[in-house]
Amino acid sequence: MGKIGSIIKGRLYRILAIVFTAGHIYPGAGLMAQDYAPVKAMTWNIRLDTPVDGPDQWKYRRSGLCSLVMEESPDVLGVQEAVHSQLNDIKCRLKGYRYTGAGRDDGKKGGEHSAIFYNRKVLKIVRSGTFWLSETPETAGSKGWDAALPRIASWAEFRHIKTGIFFLVINTHFDHMGETARVESAALLTRRAAQLGNGLPVILTGDFNVTPGHRAYRIITWPENEVVLSDTRERSEADKEGPEVTYVSFDRSREGGELIDFIFTSLDIQVLSNAITDFRPTGIYLSDHLPVVARLLVPRKVKNNP
């Protein structure tokens, strides 16, 4: 064949290998691969920084927690219960990440945040904001229905830098006491997902303080919503890993737990996998919740006309 022939043949094999791999990662191959953006989403209630946790206080957990996040390397991470000092700690330890979101008490730095971290080399923020889970969503610090505390949802529209694909992420934390508040919050979120998404793919992350049988969960996944959302752990094509629990507390003697943390997506997003990372066998509890990670393929969509 000769030296030149061997070089050409080698290059041809490499090209075919790239196209073949793209066809397995994305629907279609070649240029069609650019019609989907691979996005790794993660949600984690990191437990607020409080001295009542004794040996499980944030100062003992933060390095391990951030190391696990860096190991997972999500493109987008929704955190719950994070106060401003914790966000600064995380930002310092997660190299290449930034966050968006406001405190629930005043819309600035006060109180817990449902912030969204993102890998700035992968994603760029187009617009973002925060609203309250209440009858007056734009009123900072407002407490809705029978909720024990103010609750919020932070959101951001992202552009996937490599593919130019746009999508919406919403991150939230439902009330732990108010039954009506959880149901009404679910209804509010489905409306806002449609309004803010405006036809784009939607990813919803959070600690919802409800299990899959709860009415609030059924409202979020109701098939007649304007934007139909589904639980990535229940999608038929998803590869599931880890236990069926996310809230585990700091009690090492406790068995089991509750599945109350979810990553939902609009049906146009393909779900490759959903994993709940169980750190309990190590004996080192990084939070009282386990993190959820989903690998997704986000399609190229065009926004609806205003």
Side-chain angles (χ1 to χ4, degrees), residues 53-75:
D53 286 339
D56 293 312
Q57 289 180 67
W58 172 248
K59 62 184 177 181
Y60 303 122
R61 299 185 287 111
R62 59 190 173 190
S63 293
L65 184 146
C66 291
S67 293
L68 192 151
V69 173
M70 289 302 293
E71 183 179 335
E72 289 288 353
S73 297
D75 299 309

Side-chain angles (χ1 to χ4, degrees), residues 165-238:
I165 288 174
F166 296 84
F167 61 96
L168 178 74
V169 175
I170 306 175
N171 181 48
T172 192
H173 188 185
F174 280 11
D175 196 67
H176 65 304
M177 296 291 290
E179 182 69 15
T180 300
R182 290 193 288 266
V183 170
E184 293 293 344
S185 294
L188 175 61
L189 269 177
T190 59
R191 295 194 299 270
R192 284 299 177 103
Q195 294 165 3
L196 294 169
N198 197 25
L200 293 179
V202 177
I203 301 171
L204 171 62
T205 63
D207 172 0
F208 295 85
N209 271 313
V210 299
T211 57
H214 195 277
R215 184 182 174 194
Y217 180 100
R218 297 199 305 271
I219 289 172
I220 291 171
T221 57
W222 191 44
E224 293 189 25
N225 288 332
E226 185 173 349
V227 174
V228 180
L229 298 170
S230 65
D231 183 352
T232 57
R233 198 158 180 84
E234 296 303 317
R235 293 283 287 274
S236 59
E237 68 268 37

Side-chain angles (χ1 to χ4, degrees), residues 267-287:
L267 293 181
D268 50 5
I269 295 177
Q270 295 186 40
V271 182
L272 301 180
S273 67
N274 177 291
I276 296 174
T277 303
D278 194 353
F279 46 69
R280 291 174 296 174
T282 68
I284 301 173
Y285 279 45
L286 304 177
S287 175

Side-chain angles (χ1 to χ4, degrees), residues 70 73-75 91 94-99 117-119:
M70 289 302 293
S73 297
D75 299 309
K91 184 180 177 182
L94 299 189
K95 303 303 181 183
Y97 286 80
R98 293 178 180 169
Y99 75 86
F117 281 85
Y118 62 99
N119 187 331

Side-chain angles (χ1 to χ4, degrees), residues 12-22:
L12 178 60
Y13 283 160
R14 285 196 293 273
I15 291 170
L16 290 174
I18 291 170
V19 172
F20 178 80
T21 302

